Amino acid sequence: MIDQTVPLPELTAGMARCLREWILPHLSDPMARTQAETLASLIEALPGALTADAHRAILQDSAAAREMLRRCGEEVDEGQPSDVDSAVRDNSALKSRLQAVAERLRSDSSEDGQNRLRELLDFFLASMKRELDMVKRGADFAAMTSTEDAARKS
């Protein structure tokens, strides 16, 4: 895990630019070129697909991380980031702190320390499941493609 996040619009714009500047020029097959351009367009549109539901899900995961930090004896602030990028940065910082707690607990051979370490592992697994569930509920590739196609036609 890294302590720095790239704002999603900049990240996806860079990914789309990479496709267009470094991959697309080397494709000779017309179908492959069309697919690469479609992929670049989908990647560019991704930030707009992050709905209020996604923002709420990130905030809920951050609340769970704050609660876990409190249970580990750590002080936490009660910030509520107002936009998705701030929420992602906040969530990443909270999880970095939890990783640091886990590192300290790995050297704690007491039963309490090992139990707390298992709780942290359970937290991280539950967090990954919440993230996966959010992605599953979101627009899949086919839905995003058809939505984009409909938008182009209108």
Side-chain angles (χ1 to χ4, degrees), residues 28-43:
S28 57
D29 180 81
M31 180 58 85
R33 291 181 62 78
T34 300
Q35 290 172 339
E37 183 55 47
T38 301
L39 179 59
S41 296
L42 285 169
I43 289 170

Side-chain angles (χ1 to χ4, degrees), residues 8-153:
L8 189 60
E10 284 82 0
L11 177 67
T12 55
M15 293 167 68
R17 190 172 53 253
C18 179
L19 269 166
R20 288 189 177 112
E21 293 176 6
W22 294 96
I23 296 172
L24 195 59
H26 301 285
L27 298 174
S28 57
D29 180 81
M31 180 58 85
R33 291 181 62 78
T34 300
Q35 290 172 339
E37 183 55 47
T38 301
L39 179 59
S41 296
L42 285 169
I43 289 170
E44 282 177 327
L46 190 58
L50 283 178
T51 64
D53 289 341
H55 188 215
R56 270 192 302 280
I58 295 166
L59 291 176
Q60 288 171 350
D61 190 63
S62 293
R66 281 183 172 81
E67 178 58 29
M68 190 71 229
L69 281 165
R70 274 193 286 282
R71 288 175 41 203
C72 291
E74 300 285 313
E75 290 186 27
V76 292
D77 66 332
E78 294 300 324
Q80 283 278 323
S82 60
D83 61 85
V84 172
D85 283 326
S86 296
V88 168
R89 281 191 300 277
D90 179 58
N91 189 271
S92 177
L94 291 166
K95 289 184 178 172
S96 290
R97 287 185 60 196
L98 284 169
Q99 276 192 314
V101 171
E103 287 299 320
R104 287 194 306 271
L105 289 172
R106 281 190 181 94
S107 62
D108 182 350
S109 59
S110 72
E111 186 176 339
D112 185 51
Q114 292 304 298
N115 287 338
R116 187 71 64 203
L117 187 58
R118 276 191 287 285
E119 283 183 62
L120 274 171
L121 174 61
D122 290 343
F123 164 80
F124 278 111
L125 291 173
S127 177
M128 287 189 305
K129 183 183 180 320
R130 284 189 297 271
E131 195 171 312
L132 182 60
D133 288 345
M134 183 179 66
V135 172
K136 284 181 178 177
R137 280 192 315 265
D140 62 13
F141 184 78
M144 288 175 69
T145 304
S146 64
T147 302
E148 179 188 345
D149 189 42
R152 269 195 230 143
K153 289 179 182 176

